[in-house]
Amino acid sequence: MNKPTILVVEDDAPVRNLMVTTLKTHDYRYLTAAGGSEAILLASSHNPDVVFLDLGLPDVDGIDVIRQIRGWSNMPIIVISARSDDADKIEALDAGADDYLTKPFSVEELLARLRVTVRRLSLMNLSGSADAAVYVNGKLKIDYSASCAFLDGEELKLTPMEYKLLCLLARSTGKVLTHTFITQSIWGRSWDRDTASLRVFIVTLRKKLESAPGSPQYIQTHIGIGYRMVRVE
Ligand code: CA
């Protein structure tokens, strides 16, 4: 992929300028929008590779911008949200955002999120589709047709629930999945006790999957929000 184009949606001019300067310095192409309707217009007319979206916009709510873009495109959307607003982040992720950046953020954080997302994009383009029969990530391999998972060639003894959870996370590698999304996908509902059970299943899955369950390599915890399968080198 050569020079990805980033759409920056932010009504706060100093923050927008900081983001633009950072992107310019690192050779990314960019577009900017100071509001939601302009963002939707630019997203559809220019088809950017990645969108950075501030959730608090003057005209259209950031969540509605995500829903509208998701109506026609899977372009990665990284939302920018204030530190206190976990509920906003959860709503944005459930509406289809891929990741989030918390204000105030550093230039390094912005670039790191962007690198991860661009890398995931090029891997997606390489492997063709997310419907491949075999999933490989570091030492982890999932053979979807045989319903087995392997770590370093050894078959993992997973319960059906752990396997289901692993596949769900693997199919969205790089994307933060919220507790609600995961419990809805697995149990078809999301009660408090389902989130508690989810935590237990994550613990047992990690014991089998991670060489050091205390500092997990594959499954990342986003406290109060959800989990993400990380791409491992
Ligand atoms: Ca704002």
Side-chain angles (χ1 to χ4, degrees):
M1 179 189 277
N2 50 2
K3 286 203 181 175
T5 302
I6 320 298
L7 172 59
V8 174
V9 188
E10 172 61 79
D11 59 317
D12 185 346
V15 179
R16 193 174 62 235
N17 292 340
L18 172 71
M19 295 176 76
V20 163
T21 310
T22 307
L23 295 175
K24 236 195 274 186
T25 315
H26 290 83
D27 252 7
Y28 289 102
R29 290 186 293 190
Y30 64 90
L31 300 156
T32 61
S37 19
E38 197 189 354
I40 292 163
L41 199 68
L42 285 175
S44 64
S45 59
H46 287 72
N47 199 31
D49 297 296
V50 181
V51 182
F52 275 109
L53 175 69
D54 176 31
L55 287 179
L57 296 168
D59 56 343
V60 183
D61 188 72
I63 304 290
D64 288 331
V65 175
I66 299 169
R67 291 205 180 104
Q68 292 211 36
I69 293 179
R70 281 291 170 265
W72 83 86
S73 170
N74 282 322
M75 61 178 71
I77 301 174
I78 302 172
V79 298
I80 303 171
S81 157
R83 189 167 294 277
S84 52
D85 296 341
D86 272 358
D88 274 12
K89 288 172 196 157
I90 292 169
E91 201 185 354
L93 292 165
D94 281 334
D98 296 80
D99 198 354
Y100 58 86
L101 202 55
T102 304
K103 269 183 185 174
F105 54 85
S106 68
V107 163
E108 287 72 29
E109 276 179 286
L110 175 84
L111 289 169
R113 290 311 160 85
L114 196 50
R115 271 194 302 271
V116 168
T117 306
V118 168
R119 186 147 180 278
R120 184 158 70 86
L121 269 181
S122 35
L123 282 171
M124 265 160 56
N125 293 341
L126 275 180
S127 59
S129 77
D131 304 324
V134 173
Y135 169 87
V136 179
N137 182 9
K139 290 179 177 173
L140 170 65
K141 183 176 145 190
I142 304 173
D143 182 338
Y144 291 121
S145 54
S147 299
C148 314
F150 303 84
L151 190 69
D152 217 2
E154 290 274 316
E155 189 180 346
L156 293 170
K157 302 268 181 285
L158 302 178
T159 65
M161 193 58 85
E162 288 161 358
Y163 179 75
K164 208 169 164 182
L165 182 56
L166 179 66
C167 291
L168 184 69
L169 290 162
R171 291 213 190 262
S172 295
T173 299
K175 197 173 153 133
V176 180
L177 302 181
T178 64
H179 296 138
T180 310
F181 178 85
I182 298 173
T183 53
Q184 285 281 2
S185 307
I186 290 183
W187 291 290
R189 56 171 201 233
S190 186
W191 298 342
D192 285 349
R193 70 159 191 263
D194 296 323
T195 305
S197 319
L198 172 61
R199 209 167 293 135
V200 175
F201 284 118
I202 291 280
V203 170
T204 60
L205 177 57
R206 271 181 178 150
K207 278 192 185 141
K208 299 175 184 180
L209 177 66
E210 306 276 5
S211 44
S215 50
Q217 205 184 1
Y218 291 97
I219 303 171
Q220 203 176 56
T221 300
H222 290 250
I223 294 165
I225 294 176
Y227 299 96
R228 156 161 51 196
M229 172 69 80
V230 179
R231 177 65 62 185
V232 175
E233 297 301 325

